[in-house]
Amino acid sequence: MILNIVDHRKRPYRWNAINAIIEPTSHDNSVKDSDEAEEEDSAPAYDALEGISLADAVQWASAMRYGVTLYLYDLGSGT
């Protein structure tokens, strides 16, 4: 389930092929003024997909059984 999205794309209107990374949102708990997410011990540190569409990235991240932050990057960066 997506709890947060951070868009690092320099070309924000490119949606057909991007790179996507997910991390448990609990990684952000130490950030000042952040909401606190429940920690999931069995969650991997991160996962990434390259050359995926924006729609597929959102669907992929939404299917996680724990809260994730979805990071979006231009194709060729961020991974």
Side-chain angles (χ1 to χ4, degrees):
M1 131 186 63
I2 297 173
L3 296 181
N4 200 6
I5 297 176
V6 179
D7 191 349
H8 289 290
R9 294 176 296 160
K10 291 180 176 50
R11 301 169 75 188
Y13 295 99
R14 300 298 300 251
W15 49 264
N16 192 43
I18 63 168
N19 291 342
I21 295 175
I22 57 170
E23 292 183 359
T25 303
S26 60
H27 287 186
D28 303 333
N29 286 349
S30 63
V31 176
K32 184 179 179 182
D33 197 37
S34 68
D35 290 330
E36 299 293 306
E38 190 172 321
E39 291 193 30
E40 176 67 44
D41 293 332
S42 63
Y46 75 96
D47 200 359
L49 293 175
E50 296 182 28
I52 189 171
S53 72
L54 177 60
D56 288 343
V58 169
Q59 184 176 26
W60 168 64
S62 294
M64 296 298 123
R65 60 177 177 69
Y66 53 92
V68 299
T69 299
L70 172 62
Y71 295 91
L72 305 174
Y73 295 91
D74 293 315
L75 187 62
S77 66
T79 58

